[in-house]
Amino acid sequence: MKRLLSLFILTLFLTACTIDSSEDKNTQKSEIPAPEPTEEVKTETLPEEEVPEDDRLQFGESAEIDDIELTIHDAEFTKERIPDHFETFEYVIKLSVTYKNNSAVVFPAGRDITITVNDETEATYYDMEGTLLQDVNQGESVTGDIYYAFNGQPEKITAKFEPLLNTEDEHTLFNVFPE
């Protein structure tokens, strides 16, 4: 019995010593400072980030989808507001547009443009007096203004033209940030 007890104590002692010495080695290794590099480290200069081309159409350019041609001539911020409107907006933008109907059916102009501000916020259609909302007969064109309202500082304003009668889900984007 004494032998077993002695053997057990000796095993514990040796195990404890082995663990202590391995901990000491790990401690010693971490205390040694890493050698400083003697060679100069060359830093690669990365090419400047390429700015993707803006594929949005600009003022005066036209887009035609399903035989409906849209030209956005100009955009401007306006101080005009709807009197006693239930909601207030920081910005109201007025788009001057021309629709030309080359299709065989009557087209409802002024209801197919959406405005996105800073690629995040969709502007609210703002029904000011004189807003272009009319049907355009085959072969005819109409010019007028459409208004949108939004809050927040604009940095990028995009108009998306997507005709209501669009059978292919096509759309065209315009840069409409006022100049």
Side-chain angles (χ1 to χ4, degrees):
M1 177 86 166
K2 284 186 181 183
R3 270 191 199 176
L4 269 172
L5 187 58
S6 298
L7 188 58
F8 179 73
I9 292 174
L10 183 61
T11 307
L12 284 175
F13 180 74
L14 289 175
T15 306
C17 289
T18 309
I19 291 173
D20 266 350
S21 67
S22 66
E23 284 179 8
D24 288 342
K25 288 178 188 174
N26 289 340
T27 305
Q28 288 174 357
K29 284 182 185 175
S30 65
E31 290 175 359
I32 300 172
E36 292 185 28
T38 54
E39 295 180 26
E40 284 186 34
V41 178
K42 293 182 181 179
T43 57
E44 281 187 41
T45 55
L46 297 175
E48 288 185 28
E49 194 173 306
E50 290 185 26
V51 178
E53 276 192 43
D54 188 356
D55 58 349
R56 300 176 298 164
L57 296 178
Q58 304 301 315
F59 294 125
E61 295 181 322
S62 299
E64 186 170 332
I65 298 175
D66 281 349
D67 298 322
I68 305 300
E69 184 179 315
L70 172 71
T71 305
I72 299 178
H73 303 287
D74 192 23
E76 65 182 61
F77 293 116
T78 180
K79 294 187 184 294
E80 293 178 64
R81 298 293 188 268
I82 298 172
D84 302 321
H85 195 259
F86 65 93
E87 189 174 4
T88 58
F89 293 100
E90 292 176 84
Y91 297 93
V92 174
I93 187 171
K94 175 175 82 170
L95 300 182
S96 297
V97 301
T98 297
Y99 285 92
K100 184 172 183 186
N101 184 354
N102 298 317
S103 73
V105 296
V106 175
F107 178 74
R111 299 170 186 94
D112 53 1
I113 298 174
T114 56
I115 299 290
T116 305
V117 180
N118 300 334
D119 292 332
E120 297 174 3
T121 308
E122 190 167 310
T124 303
Y125 176 81
Y126 202 62
D127 193 12
M128 294 282 290
E129 187 174 325
T131 296
L132 174 66
L133 284 177
Q134 73 183 66
D135 292 338
V136 183
N137 293 321
Q138 175 186 5
E140 293 182 359
S141 64
V142 64
T143 298
D145 299 324
I146 305 172
Y147 297 83
Y148 298 88
F150 59 93
N151 292 315
Q153 181 65 38
E155 294 175 15
K156 180 179 180 181
I157 303 175
T158 303
K160 180 180 180 182
F161 169 55
E162 191 170 24
L164 297 174
L165 305 175
N166 186 351
T167 56
E168 301 294 322
D169 292 330
E170 292 181 71
H171 68 272
T172 300
L173 302 177
F174 288 86
N175 172 20
V176 292
F177 198 92
E179 295 175 342

